[in-house]
Amino acid sequence: EIIEPALVVGDYVHEMAEFYGQGRLDESTIDDGSETGYDLRGYHKAIKKFYAERVKKVLLIEQMVCDPRNGYSGRLDICYIDTKNCVVVADWKTAKSVHPAWGLQTAAYANATLKCFSDLPPLFRGGILLRPDGQYDYHQHRGPSDLDIFLATLRVAQFKTQHKINT
């Protein structure tokens, strides 16, 4: 099975990115594969590179955000001021390739973030694809209808739950 190990690595990398962003990552604890079977050193290098190249200041990290009117909440990975002084909401990813639904996810996070923190300016959105070779790819999400598609999908899911429809 590929899915289970990918989820485990994703969880480890998210936690490592969170601790690094908070300045409390003990780098001596990063597994070289001998403890868990997952060599995380490349991901750590990618996280450090991303922060060094793109992050001026972390505003929020692993923060619960919600949109009460639309009935959803989630845990935002990171909101930061980038080196161009733009405020960005982004999501850490460890997948092998970019998925189109990521734009919907960051649109939902950006919307909910603005509901919770109304003093923020309009937000840029992106996905940070961390790679085990120590590199990262940043993918800006610009879909103008991403939030509308997310909300339509949410409405269908809410309808199915309300009416106990399983398919």
Side-chain angles (χ1 to χ4, degrees):
E1 287 285 322
I2 293 176
I3 292 182
E4 184 63 31
L7 291 173
V8 171
V9 168
D11 287 347
Y12 285 143
V13 171
H14 267 81
E15 192 169 300
M16 190 168 28
E18 174 188 359
F19 289 168
Y20 186 84
Q22 293 169 336
R24 55 188 195 104
L25 177 65
D26 179 353
E27 295 185 4
S28 70
T29 64
I30 297 168
D31 193 5
D32 62 2
S34 60
E35 223 175 287
T36 63
Y38 306 110
D39 187 347
L40 303 174
R41 295 173 297 178
Y43 291 108
H44 174 243
K45 185 177 176 184
I47 290 165
K48 287 174 61 171
K49 182 177 172 80
F50 174 80
Y51 274 97
E53 293 177 356
R54 293 195 171 255
V55 179
K56 187 174 176 181
K57 180 181 180 183
V58 174
L59 300 175
L60 304 167
I61 196 159
E62 292 298 328
Q63 174 73 48
M64 286 300 297
V65 293
C66 66
D67 178 350
R69 185 174 153 265
N70 285 300
Y72 73 91
S73 63
R75 186 175 302 277
L76 168 73
D77 284 354
I78 186 169
C79 179
Y80 63 93
I81 299 173
D82 72 7
T83 54
K84 297 175 184 174
N85 288 320
C86 296
V87 179
V88 181
V89 164
D91 203 60
W92 304 111
K93 299 295 183 185
T94 56
K96 294 186 190 228
S97 61
V98 177
H99 194 284
W102 295 351
L104 309 183
Q105 181 184 21
T106 58
Y109 285 147
N111 180 62
T113 300
L114 290 172
K115 302 286 185 209
C116 295
F117 302 94
S118 58
D119 57 331
L120 290 174
L123 304 173
F124 288 84
R125 307 179 286 117
I128 308 152
L129 188 56
L130 300 167
R131 300 195 320 244
D133 66 358
Q135 300 300 312
Y136 72 88
D137 297 308
Y138 177 80
H139 298 272
Q140 187 170 4
H141 300 152
R142 300 178 187 190
S145 60
D146 284 351
L147 182 60
D148 292 333
I149 295 168
F150 170 81
L151 292 173
T153 305
L154 176 65
R155 294 285 177 266
V156 170
Q158 290 168 335
F159 178 85
K160 287 174 72 173
T161 299
Q162 179 184 357
H163 297 284
K164 298 180 174 88
I165 301 170
N166 293 325
T167 58

